[in-house]
Amino acid sequence: MIEARDLTKVYAMGDQTVHALRGVSLDIAAGEFVAIMGASGSGKSTLMNILGCLDLPTSGHYLLAGEPVDAMAPSQLASIRNRRIGFVFQQFNLLPRTSALENVELPMVYAGVRAAERRVRAREALERVGLGERAGHTPAELSGGQQQRVAIARALVNRPQLILADEPTGALDSQTSEEIMRLLAALNAQGMTVVLVTHESDIAGWARRRIVFRDGQVLEDRTGRSGSDSDLSQLQPA
């Protein structure tokens, strides 16, 4: 799914040069559940932006599902984001005066999906995250966990191959965080590739693989989930 080779990212900040990534190479296979960890300034968010086709590396090569991303024009990056990637953010990024259903429909508007099909697919996505009965509610009428479920439904609605989640539980309490992670783990168990950025070790523990960054480089790349296989087999989106 993801092939990255010798990625660097250099920013000019005034008269200073910041090396956000320093020759990062990694592969992520289809169906993996990966947590990317690191302190502020470690390079994890920069990597996530590149993996999500929101930014380009200064040098190096990145292939997403076999497509060479590092040489793409902005319009091509927008297309591959819409076709292949679903995004989940810490602050949900929902339109406040718009229903859950209409929020979920939004990526399909950009993709040119016809209105009738948008409505059907949005309802299916909300059902998938357990919010079918809340389709007509605005974000203000939903709890934080429900808002994040709407955001996950929105990420799923264009049927992406990859979910990128940037601190998806950062604005949630511990119980709601566990519910969201159970949902992401259930989606992964159904075959979805999930990559999340987090600074919380208990959240990273849901992943089967953890990649730790420091000073723009991979410090550690470890496989193995803290929970039991029986725990994972019982996960269902609810």
Side-chain angles (χ1 to χ4, degrees):
M1 177 66 67
I2 288 172
E3 300 174 66
R5 294 292 178 270
D6 299 318
L7 296 182
T8 70
K9 186 65 181 181
V10 180
Y11 296 101
M13 300 183 67
D15 58 354
Q16 294 186 330
T17 300
V18 177
H19 295 268
L21 292 180
R22 301 172 181 267
V24 171
S25 296
L26 57 85
D27 293 331
I28 296 175
E32 280 201 87
F33 189 171
V34 180
I36 298 175
M37 302 184 69
S40 178
S42 63
K44 65 184 189 299
S45 294
T46 299
L47 177 68
M48 182 67 94
N49 286 339
I50 291 173
L51 297 184
C53 302
L54 297 168
D55 199 0
L56 292 173
T58 302
S59 65
H61 300 286
Y62 171 35
L63 275 71
L64 176 60
E67 295 190 66
V69 173
D70 49 274
M72 286 185 175
S75 60
Q76 293 173 299
L77 291 173
S79 175
I80 198 171
R81 285 196 302 269
N82 206 39
R83 287 184 290 113
R84 297 197 183 276
I85 305 171
F87 294 93
V88 181
F89 301 99
Q90 177 176 346
Q91 298 299 334
F92 321 136
N93 290 358
L94 302 177
L95 298 178
R97 296 180 179 84
T98 303
S99 71
L101 187 70
E102 291 165 326
N103 267 288
V104 174
E105 284 187 65
L106 193 58
M108 293 183 288
V109 174
Y110 297 134
V113 178
R114 298 175 68 176
E117 184 180 351
R118 290 201 307 264
R119 189 60 52 100
V120 170
R121 284 168 55 177
R123 287 191 181 280
E124 288 175 348
L126 285 170
E127 292 283 354
R128 191 173 181 184
V129 301
L131 285 181
E133 295 181 354
R134 310 286 282 180
H137 290 68
T138 65
E141 298 169 320
L142 302 173
S143 68
Q146 289 171 332
Q147 290 182 61
Q148 192 61 295
R149 285 172 181 266
V150 174
I152 292 171
R154 181 184 59 193
L156 293 171
V157 78
N158 270 345
R159 300 164 184 166
Q161 297 167 295
L162 172 67
I163 294 290
L164 294 180
D166 191 357
E167 299 282 4
T169 63
L172 304 174
D173 60 55
S174 58
Q175 180 177 343
T176 308
S177 295
E178 182 172 344
E179 293 172 0
I180 292 302
M181 293 311 301
R182 282 184 176 276
L183 174 56
L184 290 175
L187 293 170
N188 174 249
Q190 295 163 12
M192 182 70 67
T193 306
V194 179
V195 179
L196 68 90
V197 163
T198 183
H199 65 277
E200 300 176 82
S201 58
D202 58 334
I203 296 300
W206 286 85
R208 293 187 177 274
R209 177 180 171 195
R210 274 146 285 179
I211 302 174
V212 180
F213 272 74
R214 178 183 292 172
D215 298 329
Q217 297 177 303
V218 175
L219 178 67
E220 179 182 325
D221 189 342
R222 181 158 50 100
T223 301
R225 185 177 176 274
S226 60
S228 69
D229 289 339
S230 61
D231 289 339
L232 184 59
S233 67
Q234 295 171 12
L235 295 175
Q236 295 293 334

